[in-house]
Amino acid sequence: MTKVLMIVSASDHWTLNDGTQHPTGFWAEELVTPYTVFTDAGWDVDVATPGGRAPTVDKVSLGDGAGDADTLARVRAKLDELQPVLSQPLALEEVDDSAYDLVFYPGGHGPMEDLAVDETSGRILARRVQDNTPVALLCHAPAAVLAAENETGGSPFAGRKMTGFSNDEERASGLAEKAKWLLEDKLVELGVDYEKAQEPYAPHVTVDGALYSGQNPSSSQQLAERLVADLSR
């Protein structure tokens, strides 16, 4: 059976450039949709967070602007179903990622706060990218690559094709001017070969060897289905 380690932010806020804390967490659809696609394929999914702390769902991701009524109803119902899993996640520091066929990171602004500086997550990402072992990051989750270093202190993601939540999308969300930094900018600074869809919020998925990424919430289904197709061969 294919085993998936889903690494989820444990932060319930994102610190802005004025020092205030913007309430956030993980984006509901970005966890629920891949989790559902994976388990429907018969895969086994474990959830881990820094410190084993129960993750917080971003309430905005369950609001009317986050999707159509049917999608939101499905996401809310699945979140209720997953509460026993989410209330007692594994402690990331105690997990052996080599026991998993895929490591998957859902987004939300939470990763900008904790996973972007998490040493354990950074080591996992560096090791999997260097070993060409499947890893996938969605929306704001590519912020986690900022914590990854190679043996010379550089980024193992330099020169690798990736996507992630774009500057245009952050501006559209109304948070770009309040952010300490923007994800697209940081990825480019690292030397990532950054790609994005022609239109903000359009689905976009990149694949570079065993490194997968999705740009935004609307990429959740496409990214998860691509992973199932590729890893089931």
Side-chain angles (χ1 to χ4, degrees):
M1 178 183 293
T2 300
K3 295 188 64 176
V4 181
L5 176 64
M6 187 172 281
I7 298 179
V8 183
S9 168
S11 182
D12 61 2
H13 68 275
W14 178 33
T15 304
L16 303 178
N17 57 21
D18 63 358
T20 61
Q21 295 183 347
H22 174 72
T24 186
F26 68 87
W27 196 262
E29 183 181 359
E30 295 173 19
L31 186 150
V32 164
T33 296
Y35 193 102
T36 302
V37 170
F38 297 155
T39 53
D40 283 352
W43 292 6
D44 186 26
V45 181
D46 287 337
V47 173
T49 66
R53 297 185 296 276
T56 299
V57 62
D58 189 323
K59 293 181 180 178
V60 176
S61 69
L62 297 174
D64 292 339
D68 61 68
D70 289 343
T71 298
L72 289 173
R74 173 181 59 82
V75 169
R76 292 190 189 102
K78 188 65 176 182
L79 273 181
D80 288 342
E81 179 186 326
L82 290 177
Q83 279 312 299
V85 174
L86 296 176
S87 63
Q88 293 185 311
L90 301 174
L92 182 58
E93 299 79 5
E94 300 174 3
V95 172
D96 177 10
D97 72 283
S98 67
Y100 294 87
D101 303 287
L102 169 67
V103 171
F104 184 95
Y105 287 72
H109 282 108
M112 304 275 278
E113 184 74 20
D114 61 353
L115 296 178
V117 294
D118 189 277
E119 294 181 358
T120 300
S121 172
R123 286 193 295 270
I124 290 172
L125 286 169
R127 183 166 54 245
R128 293 188 79 89
V129 168
Q130 290 164 354
D131 294 344
N132 203 35
T133 307
V135 61
L137 305 102
L138 178 59
C139 197
H140 286 92
V145 310
L146 301 180
E149 291 187 353
N150 56 29
E151 294 178 355
T152 61
S155 174
F157 291 88
R160 302 301 297 269
K161 183 170 66 175
M162 291 187 70
T163 189
F165 205 67
S166 70
N167 290 355
D168 291 338
E169 290 167 329
E170 204 71 83
R171 292 187 189 101
S173 75
L175 290 170
E177 293 184 358
K178 302 176 183 179
K180 290 182 178 180
W181 47 270
L182 299 178
L183 178 59
E184 178 182 337
D185 290 343
K186 284 294 187 181
L187 294 177
V188 172
E189 288 174 14
L190 284 181
V192 167
D193 181 10
Y194 177 82
E195 290 187 358
K196 60 184 175 183
Q198 291 185 346
E199 298 293 334
Y201 297 106
H204 187 71
V205 170
T206 68
V207 182
D208 184 346
L211 173 61
Y212 295 75
S213 53
Q215 182 176 330
N216 45 38
S218 66
S219 306
S220 302
Q221 185 86 20
Q222 183 178 334
L223 177 60
E225 290 178 349
R226 176 64 185 270
L227 287 162
V228 169
D230 287 359
L231 273 62
S232 298
R233 291 175 180 171

